[in-house]
Amino acid sequence: MNSSNPRIKAAFAKTAGRTALIPYVTAGDPSVAATPLLMHQLVKAGADVLELGIPFSDPMADGPVIQRAAERAIKRGVGLRKVLEMVAQFRRDDTTTPVVLMGYANPIERMGQDVFVHEASKAGVDGVLVVDYPPEEIVDFAAQLGSAQIDPIFLLAPTSTDARIQQVAKVARGYVYYVSLKGVTGAGNIDTVDVAQRLAEIRKHVTIPVGVGFGIRDADSAKRLGAHADAVVIGSKLIETMEQSVARSEQSGLASADADAAAIKAAAEWLESIHQALRK
């Protein structure tokens, strides 16, 4: 297996001593044109790594907020190639911030793994998290990604056994994403003590950074989990913040471009509040 992606490695080296902040947004939401602008503003607001969701019609691990975002993006014609175009556009002005694609196997299989790795590398993708690719079945794909210096990133859950954690440890690069609770994205009731215990178990096998996500909805929960994790991943609340902003803009009769700008501003301001909380 090749070494970790240099941008992801550098991002975590830069955050040594503090918790990294990883926002997730769905490509194409609030609009196709707005996505690269949104990515840049999230970086200015404190994002250390960006996770960009690939819209998919059957997002089994995602809660209703991210499902709605995917549905909106699909209606706008956003597929995997369009997502890669957005990454390439972002990369023209930002050659430092890591971009991780998060999604499901179907779009990659339709494109073809070889083609995907080539096109993702050309666009400037740094990592790939495919929810329904189990680690024991994608050794060859992980090697392909590694040869292009793209990190294969995996989810671990409260139900993950030691055997599964060990399997992930063999192929994962960049960081591991620990799901802080059972269920789908956006759920609540995080048990911080339980998460801390699970992270300690994971670190017995995994030597790369461990991020925590699912259910982080405010500065308090981010700070509590950030005390134990190398990174916090926030998606549903961020998307919900933009969704609510767009709804208000529509009620006020704002033009689409103005509604996008308002949504981006709302998302950046909310993420900045999380960033400040993690630094205290």
Side-chain angles (χ1 to χ4, degrees), residues 50 238 245 268:
L50 295 172
L238 189 61
S245 175

Side-chain angles (χ1 to χ4, degrees), residues 4-22 48-51 96-98 100 151 153 173-177 203 207-212 229-233:
S4 290
N5 172 273
R7 273 192 286 254
I8 293 179
K9 191 173 183 179
F12 278 99
K14 183 182 70 175
T15 62
R18 69 171 176 87
T19 308
L21 180 56
I22 307 179
D48 297 294
V49 178
L50 295 172
E51 283 190 1
T96 304
T97 306
V100 173
D151 286 341
I153 296 167
R173 293 294 182 272
Y175 61 95
V176 170
Y177 183 164
R203 289 189 173 112
T207 57
I208 57 178
V210 182
V212 176
D230 300 300
V232 293
V233 186

